[in-house]
Amino acid sequence: MREFEKNIRKVEPYVPGEQPGEKVIKLNTNENPYPPAPGVRTALETMDTERLRLYPDPSAEALVRELSRFYKVDPSQVFVGVGSDDVLSMCFLTFFNSEKPILFPDITYSFYKVWAELYRIPYECPKLDENFRLVKEDYYRENGGVIFPNPNAPTALYEELSTVEDIIAHNRDVIVIIDEAYVDFAGPSAMELLDKYDNLLVVQTFSKARSMAGMRIGYAVGSPTLIKYLNDAKFSFNSYTMNQTSLICGVEAVKDQAYFEANLRKIIDTRQWAKGELQKLGFQFTDSKANFIFATHPDYDARELFEAMKEAGIYVRFWGSRRIEQYLRITVGTREEMETMFAFLRKYMKK
Ligand code: PMP
C-alpha cells in the first residue's frame, strides 16, 4: 500500500440492483411499473426552462408545504432530500453520534451497514427470528439509536404499529428511525405516533408508491427539533440538494391523491394474485405487504433460478448472503410482466 493510501477513507459500497439498458422485464429494484401521476407529465411539458438558470429554492418550501398538507403536520416537521437514501444518510450523520452501537436487524436494507461503516458508527444487528420477524425485546438494550424498515426489506414483512411503538417507547433517549419506503402497500404509518414520541423520525420516498424513482425524492417527518438538526447538517453539506424539476414534479405527484390510491390498489391486487401463482408452482414466501415478494423454492437453487431468469430477460434480485441464500426478491410488476414471468417459470419447471 502506498503511504498516502493509509489516510484514504475506504468503504465497501452498497451494490444497487442492475439497471440493464435493453428491453427486459425488470423486477429487481422495486420500482413501480406504472407512470407517475399525469400532473407530473404536464408539469414537465410546461416547465419554464428559463428558471433553470437560477439555483432552486434551498428550503424546498413548495414541496415541504405540499407534504405537510398531505400528512397534516406543520411544515417545520418535514425534511426533503434526494431520494430516501440521501435523507437516511443525512440521518445517520446527524443522529447517530453515540459511542454505543446503533441497532438494526441482521437481515434488512443493506445500505444501513454501509452508512455505519462510512461514518464510523458502531453497530449491532439483532437477528430476525426464524420467520424473519423482528424480535422487539432485542431492541430494549442500551444503544446509540435504532433504525429498521417497516415493511422490512427484503423480507417484505410488516410489523404492527404496536410493535413499532413498543420499540420506540423503550428507546426514549435515542433517535428511532422507521424507514417506510414501502408502507403505502402495507398498513398504518408510524406517523400516527409522532405526537407521542419526539425521538421518532419517519422516512418515506417517492420512488415506490409514487412511481418516481428516477426523480429522486425522499423525505423525513418528525419533531421540529429533529428536522432543524437535519437541516443544519444538510446546509453544512450541500444547500441545493433538491433540483428545480424535482421540486415542481414532486408537488404535482402529492396533489393527486386519487391517482396515488388507484396505483396502490393495482399493485396490491397484482401482488395478491401473484402469491397464488407462486404457490401453485411450489414456491414458499413471506406474507408480503410490500411491492415485492420474498420467495424460495424447496426444489430449485435460488442462484440457478436467478441466472436462468436473467438469461430469459427477467431480472429479479438475488443476494446469496447468509440466511437468505435460497431466496429471490421479485418486484411486483404489471399483470402482463408477471404473466410472462410465470410462463417462463412453468416452462422451466415443466409444470
Ligand atoms: N429504504 C429501503 C428499505 C429501500 O429498499 C430503498 C430502495 N432501495 C430505499 C430506502 C431508498 O430508496 P430511494 O433512495 O429511492 O428513496
Side-chain angles (χ1 to χ4, degrees), residues 238-251:
N238 175 4
S239 316
Y240 305 109
T241 51
M242 304 304 292
N243 69 62
Q244 181 64 15
T245 317
S246 298
L247 290 176
I248 292 172
C249 293
V251 168

Side-chain angles (χ1 to χ4, degrees), residues 14 29-30 82-86 88 109 112 149 151 153 179 181-182 204-208 213 216-218 329:
Y14 171 74
T29 49
N30 298 343
V82 187
S84 53
D85 280 343
D86 178 49
L88 289 165
Y109 187 33
Y112 299 160
D179 175 355
Y182 304 101
Q204 295 194 7
T205 178
F206 281 51
S207 298
K208 319 294 178 182
R216 312 304 298 127
I217 306 175
R329 190 194 68 188

Side-chain angles (χ1 to χ4, degrees), residues 178-198:
I178 314 296
D179 175 355
E180 293 190 334
Y182 304 101
V183 79
D184 299 310
F185 306 105
S189 160
M191 286 207 206
E192 285 183 18
L193 304 172
L194 282 171
D195 285 343
K196 261 167 102 177
Y197 300 97
D198 58 1

Side-chain angles (χ1 to χ4, degrees), residues 23-27 313-316 336-338 340-341:
K23 206 98 195 87
V24 298
I25 294 188
K26 199 173 171 308
L27 307 174
I314 302 163
Y315 282 56
V316 297
E336 296 69 36
E337 287 173 321
M338 302 305 273
T340 307
M341 179 186 76

